[in-house]
Amino acid sequence: MLYVEAILPLPLYSTFTYSVPDSLADKISVGSRILVQFGRRKYYTALVASLCSTPPKDYEVKEIVDLLDSSPIVRRPQIQFWEWMADYYMCAPGDVMKAALPSALKPESETVVTLNRDYEPSAGEPMSEKEALVFSLLEHEGKMRLTDIEHSLEIGDVARLINIMFEKGIIEVAERMVNKYRAVKKTMVKLTIDRDDHDALHEFMHLVSRSRKQEQMLLNFLDQSRFLYRSEPLVDIEKEQLLKGSNGSPAILKALCDKGILTTYKVVVNRFESAAPNSTTSPASLSEAQQKALSEIRESFRDYSTVLLHGVTGSGKTEIYTHLIDEVIRQGNQVLYLVPEISLTTQLTDRVRKVFGNRLIVYHSKFSDSERVDIWKRVLSSNEPLIVLGARSALFLPFHRLGLVIVDEEHESSYKQYDPAPRYNARDSAIMLAHMHGAKTLLASATPSIETYYKSLNKKYGLVKLTERFNGANLPDVDFIDLREMRKRKTIKGMISTPLKLITQETLEQGGQAIIFQNRRGFAPVAICRTCGWTPKCRDCDVSLVYHKQSNMLRCHYCGYSTLLPRVCPACGENTIDVYGYGTERIAEDLHQLLPGHRVARMDLDTTRNKDGYQEIIEEFSSGETDILVGTQMVTKGLDFDNVRLVGVINADTLLNFPDFRSNERAFNMLEQVSGRSGRRKERGRVLIQTSRPDDPVLGFVRNHDYEGFYESEIADRQTFGYPPFTKVIMLYVKNRNATAVDKAASFLAGSLRNIFGNRVLGPDRPFVSRIATMHLRSIMLKVEAAASMKKVKELCRRAYLDVASDPDVKSSTIYYDVDPV
């Protein structure tokens, strides 16, 4: 009997064994999807991780329901990569599978609820108020999904309520399979006779001789399909292509089909199928400094599998990438080019496509499920050398001839997946992926992460430096505007000081553009009643709601809850609610008023929610349609604009005053990177940073563009206090709806961990935001040696959990890990 070890898209710490029916034994293989039953009624798409002939001893084996693929959709190296990720980031293989596969490749059963028509109400067991609501809704709708009931009634714990109603016989529950993939189909046209049937062809010509338009369409078809050109193969003709080529209409085509001359049929096509090579150009010529850096990278790759390119902002790192990519493509291999933000894929696509044409594939989360499946299938089936440009999710595509991985802006925190699991860092995962494929990795940044630079100085990675900007451009001048002095002199209104306003105006009048950075979206961070001090809080999180003026809504940026701004204070009844603080929306509005006649655009999460949001904003700014771009950290990340001569930072203090061991690194990186958007061509740029702490050491390093000085200062503190790269930090979080239960569970778990790890365990503590989406949070920090085996640490943490798992408060809590938090 043949058995499979299957990965299910569930947070289970092991694979499950299923038996294979004899009819499928010779068709199934590792990497294929199978449909399996898990639990009493639920069906899932699982993935075959391995084949075996021995059944498990501790549970009864179920048979797989169906085989979904005639050939594997995942390669063996990918499964090994998933296993490594599950071990290192201390999560379940099913968590990695859920993140890796597009949703449309994971059809699963969906709970559908209907009324039981045979149900008779009992006087002794009346329905509760919530049950009556569900009953009334189903009576009106007939059949509903569990999620739709939850959204319609806005009541919590619907699954438990439905289970009670099912046991009472009020409702019936069924499961149906849901497949989200929607294939693209094209209508094709062909002749109903063989190429050698001359008599039939003459008959067809006679049938259309009285209709000039039908005759024209038939002749056009014969020409496009190469039907009469014996020495050439027949070509499939798409319906739209035929209608356009013959200047005909669907009615004419239908008439030809009715006469039995032509016939139509549908074919499924890949949205991103490789087309004939389009026009390309050679990579751009390099400057002397760029050529030297490229030669040093090649030399370093002989001794190191990973190399760091430390190049100042505007030094032309992208041109070096294209030369390296060109070499790998010529060898017939694939390239993965990772960027931290989708906005960067927008700007880079045109530049890279000019050189490599349709060998470039772009992949990120803004694509629809069906589009992502088609890209997946192209990478899986293609033997051609490809370049995949994408954000962190591109890591999971089914590469099989990977030759080079480029991680641009490697320091960026956007490479870190925060929620849900796996909470991975795409930079570190990319290095492991390249290692598994025997490929090289190039990390690049003007402000490398402390860990990466430490490894390069200690010869674990190669190090190449590019210290001058492209084409002789100078690094921008950085000046500070002291907000304390401005407030004393009362020369600041709002958050835009007089010097910042005047210099921005001067820059625009001279034909330049400006970027204004404020790392907070929305209109105002907080609303307060002047009379009684009431502040609107999120109903589900321990945070204040942020006011968004355009929609007149108060929103929680943690769970998404929103409500209208009340006209009067609900606490005291007075009409004295004001909003305080400044987000990007308010900064943009103030600039409109202060600089009338100049065009202001905003780039933050609120303005880039749709697929083309980034592209529209960036194209308008690049073409000069917009004069000022106001944005959050999105504007700091590697964007390249010719005409930006000024960068303004609204408030650097919000970056510096944060209780985290990485706060200095995060502040330096963000300020140095946003500064680097200025003066990237011949005109020297300028940077104005508003702050109440102009003497802060971090700002001094930014003023002098002194990364090495900042690194030496920061690495000394890290060593003194035992933080990465000298240790590895793992944050363990405990969640529960009950505050008392979460405190008890976290205390028990921390004690169990101390029994194993000793003083490496710190906490439990309350996080900065200790309640999110109704769940109370507690955190435990675990510091282990930098060289510790994460697989072993995972096993020890699992043992610590099992030692206290029987406690009801621990059992009712959700526990998860965040390895290498950023």
Side-chain angles (χ1 to χ4, degrees):
M1 188 71 180
L2 185 64
Y3 299 90
V4 298
E5 290 296 322
I7 302 173
L8 282 88
L10 298 169
L12 307 169
Y13 276 79
S14 63
T15 56
F16 272 74
T17 308
Y18 288 86
S19 64
V20 181
D22 293 338
S23 60
L24 298 177
D26 59 345
K27 299 175 183 176
I28 200 164
S29 57
V30 172
S32 296
R33 292 176 305 156
I34 53 176
L35 186 64
V36 298
Q37 183 182 0
F38 188 78
R40 286 188 297 174
R41 294 188 299 272
K42 197 77 174 175
Y43 292 86
Y44 292 95
T45 298
L47 194 92
V48 178
S50 62
L51 303 172
C52 60
S53 56
T54 308
K57 297 177 181 179
D58 48 356
Y59 62 87
E60 185 180 345
V61 176
K62 294 177 182 176
E63 192 175 82
I64 69 170
V65 177
D66 197 8
L67 174 65
L68 301 180
D69 302 302
S70 56
S71 60
I73 63 146
V74 173
R75 303 178 189 279
R76 179 59 192 161
Q78 276 181 285
I79 298 176
Q80 293 173 327
F81 179 56
W82 293 4
E83 291 168 349
W84 170 83
M85 188 173 276
D87 284 337
Y88 187 87
Y89 291 105
M90 301 175 67
C91 61
D95 290 326
V96 184
M97 176 186 171
K98 284 187 75 171
L101 291 180
S103 297
L105 288 178
K106 304 188 295 278
E108 61 184 62
S109 62
E110 178 178 78
T111 303
V112 178
V113 181
T114 56
L115 286 178
N116 178 6
R117 295 301 174 186
D118 296 328
Y119 170 71
E120 294 182 3
S122 169
E125 193 179 23
M127 282 189 279
S128 68
E129 183 180 346
K130 287 184 178 180
E131 289 171 358
L133 285 172
V134 174
F135 186 92
S136 176
L137 183 65
L138 290 174
E139 202 168 35
H140 181 264
E141 297 293 337
K143 180 166 57 177
M144 294 189 73
R145 298 181 303 170
L146 208 60
T147 51
D148 291 337
I149 295 174
E150 196 166 14
H151 291 152
S152 297
L153 298 180
E154 295 185 354
I155 56 177
D157 212 1
V158 167
R160 186 184 65 84
L161 181 63
I162 291 298
N163 192 50
I164 293 171
M165 294 179 72
F166 176 74
E167 290 175 356
K168 288 181 177 180
I170 302 172
I171 59 171
E172 293 178 339
V173 176
E175 297 289 326
R176 69 178 182 188
M177 291 305 298
V178 179
N179 191 342
K180 298 179 181 177
Y181 179 62
R182 295 293 179 266
V184 171
K185 295 181 179 180
K186 288 185 178 179
T187 302
M188 309 299 291
V189 184
K190 68 177 181 179
L191 210 59
T192 58
I193 59 172
D194 294 331
R195 208 174 197 176
D196 297 325
D197 196 341
H198 304 291
D199 293 338
L201 182 59
H202 283 297
E203 178 63 25
F204 287 168
M205 296 305 299
H206 176 71
L207 286 173
V208 299
S209 60
R210 294 185 179 181
S211 172
R212 185 177 60 81
K213 290 186 177 180
Q214 290 180 23
E215 183 180 48
Q216 184 179 344
M217 182 174 286
L218 178 56
L219 289 171
N220 185 267
F221 174 86
L222 295 172
D223 181 58
Q224 286 198 56
S225 67
R226 321 310 287 168
F227 190 89
L228 300 177
Y229 301 86
R230 302 281 170 167
S231 61
E232 298 182 29
L234 286 171
V235 177
D236 291 339
I237 303 299
E238 191 180 343
K239 175 183 173 182
E240 296 303 320
Q241 181 184 345
L242 176 61
L243 297 179
K244 185 177 179 181
S246 62
N247 198 25
S249 67
I252 298 170
L253 176 59
K254 183 177 183 303
L256 290 173
C257 292
D258 291 342
K259 289 179 178 179
I261 300 172
L262 297 177
T263 186
T264 61
Y265 62 100
K266 291 187 180 292
V267 294
V268 175
V269 295
N270 191 310
R271 294 170 176 82
F272 302 93
E273 197 62 72
S274 176
N278 52 8
S279 59
T280 59
T281 61
S282 299
S285 298
L286 300 179
S287 67
E288 186 177 336
Q290 287 174 317
Q291 189 61 55
K292 181 174 180 289
L294 177 61
S295 299
E296 290 178 2
I297 291 169
R298 290 176 183 143
E299 190 68 28
S300 294
F301 275 149
R302 295 179 183 176
D303 300 318
Y304 302 96
S305 58
T306 302
V307 173
L308 169 65
L309 174 59
H310 180 201
V312 297
T313 56
S315 56
K317 295 186 285 292
T318 305
E319 281 69 33
I320 294 174
Y321 304 159
T322 57
H323 280 261
L324 288 170
I325 292 169
D326 188 53
E327 293 170 11
V328 174
I329 291 294
R330 289 178 186 277
Q331 294 165 5
N333 293 324
Q334 298 169 331
V335 177
L336 173 59
Y337 184 167
L338 286 178
V339 292
E341 283 281 358
I342 296 171
S343 58
L344 286 181
T345 66
T346 297
Q347 195 174 50
L348 283 170
T349 297
D350 290 342
R351 295 172 65 181
V352 178
R353 186 157 279 147
K354 283 178 183 176
V355 181
F356 301 106
N358 53 31
R359 284 179 173 165
L360 175 68
I361 296 175
V362 180
Y363 187 82
H364 52 66
S365 58
K366 291 289 184 181
F367 284 114
S368 69
D369 278 335
S370 295
E371 287 173 327
R372 295 173 78 183
V373 169
D374 280 346
I375 295 171
W376 184 284
K377 288 180 177 179
R378 182 179 173 192
V379 176
L380 180 70
S381 62
S382 177
N383 290 317
E384 62 183 317
L386 296 171
I387 306 111
V388 174
L389 171 64
R392 60 176 182 257
S393 59
L395 268 177
F396 297 112
L397 285 169
F399 300 101
H400 62 108
R401 293 166 64 186
L402 195 59
L404 175 67
V405 175
I406 297 170
V407 185
D408 196 19
E409 309 294 350
E410 64 83 26
H411 66 278
E412 271 294 343
S413 59
S414 297
Y415 281 124
K416 176 72 173 179
Q417 162 80 10
Y418 290 101
D419 213 34
R423 295 170 178 83
Y424 66 98
N425 189 309
R427 176 199 62 208
D428 300 335
S429 301
I431 293 170
M432 178 54 66
L433 178 70
H435 172 73
M436 289 179 167
H437 283 267
K440 302 294 185 183
T441 305
L442 180 68
L443 308 176
S445 176
T447 55
S449 69
I450 296 297
E451 290 94 323
T452 297
Y453 203 67
Y454 176 82
K455 288 175 182 176
S456 67
L457 292 181
N458 286 274
K459 307 300 182 183
K460 187 171 182 180
Y461 300 159
L463 176 61
V464 175
K465 294 191 176 185
L466 187 57
T467 57
E468 62 183 60
R469 279 188 152 185
F470 182 72
N471 237 6
N474 294 307
L475 288 168
D477 294 324
V478 179
D479 295 308
F480 302 128
I481 298 172
D482 192 337
L483 293 177
R484 292 173 302 185
E485 289 297 317
M486 291 286 157
R487 291 183 185 118
K488 282 180 186 177
R489 298 175 185 174
K490 298 182 179 179
T491 56
I492 183 171
K493 184 180 180 181
M495 279 302 293
I496 300 173
S497 64
T498 301
L500 179 57
K501 176 204 165 185
L502 293 175
I503 293 172
T504 303
Q505 188 171 20
E506 180 184 329
T507 301
L508 300 180
E509 288 172 353
Q510 291 173 356
Q513 291 174 296
I515 289 177
I516 304 297
F517 170 59
Q518 170 71 335
N519 201 30
R520 191 187 293 274
R521 64 188 172 100
F523 186 82
V526 65
I528 302 175
C529 174
R530 294 196 312 273
T531 303
C532 70
W534 173 83
T535 299
K537 301 270 188 180
C538 177
R539 67 182 184 187
D540 298 327
C541 309
D542 284 339
V543 292
S544 299
L545 295 173
V546 176
Y547 178 58
H548 290 249
K549 186 175 181 181
Q550 188 172 0
S551 57
N552 194 38
M553 298 291 284
L554 294 164
R555 289 199 182 119
C556 174
H557 288 176
Y558 283 84
C559 72
Y561 168 75
S562 63
T563 184
L564 284 169
L565 179 71
R567 294 181 180 178
V568 297
C569 175
C572 67
E574 295 296 318
N575 183 21
T576 52
I577 297 177
D578 284 337
V579 292
Y580 297 91
Y582 284 79
T584 50
E585 187 182 1
R586 190 170 192 175
I587 298 294
E589 184 178 284
D590 283 2
L591 286 168
H592 272 295
Q593 295 171 356
L594 291 170
L595 300 169
H598 294 289
R599 297 153 297 186
V600 181
R602 181 162 56 97
M603 188 162 82
D604 54 33
L605 190 61
D606 297 321
T607 61
T608 56
R609 291 190 184 277
N610 66 60
K611 182 178 173 181
D612 300 318
Y614 294 97
Q615 187 163 352
E616 291 168 3
I617 295 167
I618 288 172
E619 284 180 354
E620 287 174 2
F621 193 62
S622 294
S623 64
E625 294 177 42
T626 305
D627 301 312
I628 305 172
L629 181 61
V630 180
T632 57
Q633 58 180 338
M634 289 181 183
V635 301
T636 71
K637 301 178 181 181
L639 294 170
D640 185 25
F641 300 112
D642 293 351
N643 201 32
V644 173
R645 300 179 197 169
L646 175 69
V647 165
V649 177
I650 293 297
N651 190 356
D653 303 343
T654 57
L655 301 175
L656 296 166
N657 302 329
F658 202 82
D660 181 74
F661 77 92
R662 293 189 194 274
S663 62
N664 283 349
E665 179 183 9
R666 195 178 296 115
F668 176 83
N669 289 350
M670 210 169 284
L671 291 171
E672 181 65 17
Q673 287 288 338
V674 76
S675 299
R677 302 315 107 204
S678 178
R680 295 172 73 91
R681 297 300 180 264
K682 293 183 179 180
E683 291 277 349
R684 189 175 194 127
R686 191 168 184 184
V687 181
L688 296 178
I689 298 177
Q690 297 188 154
T691 176
S692 301
R693 300 166 55 186
D695 54 349
D696 190 288
V698 173
L699 296 181
F701 293 125
V702 174
R703 166 176 269 166
N704 298 320
H705 304 291
D706 183 11
Y707 174 81
E708 275 78 11
F710 169 75
Y711 170 81
E712 292 298 334
S713 170
E714 187 69 11
I715 200 72
D717 287 345
R718 297 278 185 96
Q719 188 165 22
T720 300
F721 297 107
Y723 281 110
F726 303 100
T727 60
K728 193 179 293 294
V729 171
I730 302 160
M731 295 300 299
L732 186 149
Y733 291 95
V734 184
K735 293 199 304 185
N736 199 305
R737 295 188 190 278
N738 184 292
T740 304
V742 80
D743 282 330
K744 185 178 175 184
S747 179
F748 277 14
L749 195 55
S752 184
L753 286 166
R754 283 193 184 90
N755 292 335
I756 298 172
F757 293 101
N759 61 7
R760 299 179 183 87
V761 180
L762 304 173
D765 294 310
R766 286 174 175 259
F768 186 66
V769 178
S770 60
R771 188 173 68 105
I772 298 176
T774 75
M775 301 293 281
H776 295 271
L777 272 77
R778 300 294 180 266
S779 63
I780 302 168
M781 179 184 283
L782 174 61
K783 287 184 182 179
V784 298
E785 290 73 12
S789 163
M790 290 307 298
K791 186 173 183 178
K792 183 66 174 176
V793 172
K794 180 181 179 182
E795 291 170 358
L796 293 173
C797 286
R798 182 70 177 166
R799 188 201 305 172
Y801 167 75
L802 292 174
D803 286 345
V804 294
S806 59
D807 181 87
D809 292 316
V810 175
K811 191 180 291 187
S812 64
S813 298
T814 300
I815 296 162
Y816 65 89
Y817 303 89
D818 186 5
V819 179
D820 301 332
V822 297

